Amino acid sequence: MDEVKILIVDDEKDILEFVGYNLENEGYIVKKASNGHQAIELNHSFKPDIIILDVMMPDLDGIETCYQIKQEISTNNPKIIFLTARSEDYSEISGLEAGADDYITKPVRPRVLLSRIKAILRRGAQNEENKPKVSYGEFTIDWDKYIVIKNSEARTLPRKEMELFGLLFSSPGKVFDRETIMKRVWGSEVVVGDRTIDVHIRKLREKFGENYFETVKGVGYKFVSPDNV
Amino acid sequence: MDEVKILIVDDEKDILEFVGYNLENEGYIVKKASNGHQAIELNHSFKPDIIILDVMMPDLDGIETCYQIKQEISTNNPKIIFLTARSEDYSEISGLEAGADDYITKPVRPRVLLSRIKAILRRGAQNEENKPKVSYGEFTIDWDKYIVIKNSEARTLPRKEMELFGLLFSSPGKVFDRETIMKRVWGSEVVVGDRTIDVHIRKLREKFGENYFETVKGVGYKFVSPDNV
DNA sequence: AATTATGTAAACAAAAGGTTAACCCTGATA
DNA sequence: TATCAGGGTTAACCTTTTGTTTACATAATT
């Protein structure tokens, strides 16, 4: 991983500038968001490796934002560093639960921040050896190579198809309702028409066969492996 | 859970008013108690989903109150958020021991409080997703996969049939009267003809056999498992 | 027997989902 | 810069499934 992308989220412009400047100086690719919604949005499009997230923000606070981001199925699995003022009354409990990977208290000291970032990247590098490759029935999904293998025949899927497949595949047999699919694949911010999910299911069926993606009318869809039940 | 009930407990009237106002504004159903005894009392009668509990109270303090409430066996299992003044020397430890679910330090900031409440509700909702897989006699119902298994033969039912089955199956042998069935499966607002339930019972009988859904004339229906009684 | 509650089949209505093709981006390519 | 291609989305229309009612038959209860 040579190009490390970092997203900074804070409602105070000064901090965005200050932290952004320091990180860019170190050669990271930086984008900034000034609220939670923007952050979720940018997590999609920018796909940062690390998100530095202010806890205390109006409207959608850091904890909430973190939750939502962690929910989503996506290729980037961003690490999240919380930024909290020592005086704030957000307890660490909620932060850890929300899936924070580290904490930093304001005021931000560049040296500290950089060392935390490096620590996280180091940790990440180690994990990367655990290729997230999961098999079930005749299928294998390999997020690393971004392919789905069916009976030793590999194919690359477009992002949304991959994510939709990934979600359903993550719990074979379990029905995911449309709302959940929407939230986890498209994100809670995005609003798209109701036929969109169907169309993507169609594409998956075209590629893998009609029998793997079962419709449960009025509820949602599930992945099943006929030979494997 | 659409109607969320919250109980606020504090000996300072101002705080009760302030917090209460903000929560009501968000559509929560709110009751207030000004001491621990009242709180325990209201936990019984009001059955709140969440209790916001001041730690520092005369006589019966928050920790004690929390203990007592957690002790009780009741249908509502209220989540408890502690309210502590930063200066107080109640350590978080005692709070966690007492069974707190979260902390907030005074002064209470509405945004913070609301986001914590949402977080707690979300946690609760997630747990609810793991609807258990229940077996009785030759039947198993699996809400996750949305199937009913009879003698190792699985089938997915349409929504209403599933819900009707689920209801009757939830208490084998117990008679559910039509009114209850209506309310629980169709909802209290919906009005449908009186043959509708019968027709759905018919469908279940067609699918699983005539002997499992017994009519109790003038009352309602019950699920029975002949081999199992 | 009369009355009332339930059973049933078939018709009907309305959701829910399926399908296809066109459209709009965005990023790549010449 | 113009063009192009792929992915993603929408729109329109089609099909199927599910849910409800109707109309009448049957069984139980008084």
Side-chain angles (χ1 to χ4, degrees):
Chain A
M1 200 195 311
D2 41 354
E3 301 275 84
V4 178
K5 294 187 285 187
I6 300 182
L7 173 63
I8 316 168
V9 191
D10 199 309
D11 57 324
E12 292 169 70
K13 205 146 184 120
D14 294 346
I15 296 195
L16 280 185
E17 289 308 324
F18 175 66
V19 176
Y21 170 78
N22 277 286
L23 294 182
E24 273 166 352
N25 246 6
E26 290 287 313
Y28 297 115
I29 302 168
V30 174
K31 277 210 196 280
K32 299 157 195 163
S34 53
N35 61 60
H37 300 287
Q38 244 182 69
I40 292 170
E41 187 49 43
L42 278 169
N43 179 49
H44 266 283
S45 49
F46 179 49
K47 295 190 178 305
D49 303 295
I50 294 178
I51 300 178
I52 297 168
L53 188 53
D54 185 28
V55 171
M56 188 58 142
M57 292 188 297
D59 192 13
L60 196 66
D61 67 31
I63 308 272
E64 269 293 317
T65 307
C66 180
Y67 258 117
Q68 302 215 14
I69 286 173
K70 289 278 174 181
Q71 279 288 307
E72 307 196 359
I73 302 269
S74 55
T75 30
N76 71 319
N77 235 56
K79 299 292 177 184
I80 294 187
I81 300 177
F82 269 131
L83 228 53
T84 90
R86 205 187 311 285
S87 62
E88 280 169 17
D89 26 34
Y90 282 91
S91 72
E92 294 213 353
I93 301 167
S94 354
L96 287 175
E97 230 169 54
D101 294 283
D102 208 341
Y103 270 91
I104 297 187
T105 56
K106 292 182 182 179
V108 180
R109 314 273 233 350
R111 294 235 80 78
V112 175
L113 177 56
L114 287 171
S115 95
R116 297 299 181 82
I117 287 174
K118 278 186 200 137
I120 281 185
L121 290 174
R122 198 163 33 236
R123 259 185 272 158
Q126 282 171 348
N127 291 343
E128 226 163 319
E129 286 170 33
N130 314 345
K131 284 181 188 171
K133 204 162 82 172
V134 184
S135 298
Y136 181 83
E138 62 246 83
F139 287 90
T140 301
I141 188 170
D142 186 334
W143 283 102
D144 226 40
K145 297 183 175 160
Y146 219 78
I147 54 175
V148 172
I149 304 164
K150 181 192 169 188
N151 297 324
S152 69
E153 196 190 334
R155 74 192 320 157
T156 311
L157 297 182
R159 206 162 54 236
K160 287 286 186 243
E161 285 171 48
M162 187 76 174
E163 286 169 4
L164 175 55
F165 181 88
L167 176 62
L168 298 180
F169 189 68
S170 70
S171 302
K174 168 169 175 174
V175 181
F176 291 84
D177 61 69
R178 281 164 174 273
E179 203 187 341
T180 304
I181 294 175
M182 208 63 231
K183 241 206 276 215
R184 307 266 310 260
V185 175
W186 275 263
S188 40
E189 300 292 295
V190 191
V191 182
V192 295
D194 353 346
R195 294 275 66 70
T196 301
I197 293 177
D198 313 24
V199 174
H200 282 87
I201 289 282
R202 166 101 290 275
K203 290 174 179 167
L204 290 178
R205 285 176 175 156
E206 268 167 10
K207 286 178 182 162
F208 297 111
E210 303 291 324
N211 310 318
Y212 299 106
F213 307 93
E214 240 178 48
T215 302
V216 181
K217 266 213 160 187
V219 186
Y221 296 94
K222 63 175 157 182
F223 171 85
V224 294
S225 184
D227 318 340
N228 211 281
V229 175
Chain B
M1 199 197 307
D2 39 356
E3 302 275 86
V4 178
K5 295 187 284 187
I6 301 181
L7 173 63
I8 316 168
V9 191
D10 200 310
D11 56 324
E12 293 169 67
K13 205 148 183 111
D14 293 345
I15 295 196
L16 281 185
E17 289 307 323
F18 175 66
V19 175
Y21 170 78
N22 276 286
L23 294 181
E24 274 167 352
N25 245 6
E26 290 287 313
Y28 298 114
I29 301 167
V30 174
K31 280 210 195 279
K32 300 156 193 164
S34 53
N35 62 59
H37 301 288
Q38 243 181 69
I40 293 170
E41 185 48 42
L42 277 170
N43 180 49
H44 265 286
S45 50
F46 179 47
K47 293 189 182 308
D49 303 297
I50 295 179
I51 301 178
I52 297 168
L53 188 53
D54 186 28
V55 172
M56 189 57 143
M57 290 188 298
D59 191 12
L60 198 64
D61 69 29
I63 307 274
E64 261 306 304
T65 307
C66 179
Y67 261 118
Q68 302 217 14
I69 286 173
K70 288 278 176 182
Q71 282 291 308
E72 308 200 354
I73 298 181
S74 53
T75 32
N76 70 321
N77 232 54
K79 301 290 177 184
I80 295 186
I81 299 177
F82 270 131
L83 228 53
T84 92
R86 204 188 314 286
S87 60
E88 282 168 15
D89 34 33
Y90 284 92
S91 70
E92 294 211 352
I93 299 165
S94 7
L96 286 175
E97 250 169 38
D101 294 283
D102 209 339
Y103 270 90
I104 297 186
T105 55
K106 293 182 182 180
V108 180
R109 315 273 232 352
R111 291 235 83 79
V112 175
L113 177 57
L114 288 171
S115 100
R116 297 302 182 80
I117 288 174
K118 277 186 207 139
I120 282 184
L121 291 174
R122 187 175 34 241
R123 262 183 269 159
Q126 276 174 353
N127 292 342
E128 236 164 296
E129 274 175 42
N130 312 342
K131 280 187 187 169
K133 200 163 88 174
V134 184
S135 299
Y136 181 83
E138 61 245 74
F139 286 91
T140 300
I141 188 170
D142 184 335
W143 284 100
D144 228 41
K145 298 185 172 165
Y146 218 80
I147 54 177
V148 172
I149 304 165
K150 181 193 169 188
N151 297 324
S152 70
E153 197 189 334
R155 74 194 318 158
T156 74
L157 300 181
R159 209 162 79 232
K160 285 280 189 276
E161 286 170 46
M162 187 77 173
E163 281 166 10
L164 175 55
F165 180 89
L167 177 62
L168 298 180
F169 189 69
S170 70
S171 302
K174 163 170 176 181
V175 183
F176 291 84
D177 62 71
R178 281 162 175 273
E179 201 187 343
T180 305
I181 293 175
M182 207 63 231
K183 232 198 285 201
R184 304 272 302 266
V185 176
W186 275 264
S188 40
E189 331 81 40
V190 189
V191 183
V192 293
D194 42 343
R195 293 276 64 71
T196 301
I197 293 177
D198 313 21
V199 173
H200 281 88
I201 289 284
R202 167 101 289 273
K203 290 174 179 167
L204 289 179
R205 285 174 174 158
E206 270 167 8
K207 285 179 181 161
F208 296 111
E210 303 291 325
N211 311 318
Y212 300 106
F213 307 93
E214 246 178 43
T215 301
V216 181
K217 254 210 155 183
V219 187
Y221 297 93
K222 65 175 162 182
F223 171 85
V224 294
S225 183
D227 317 342
N228 209 280
V229 174

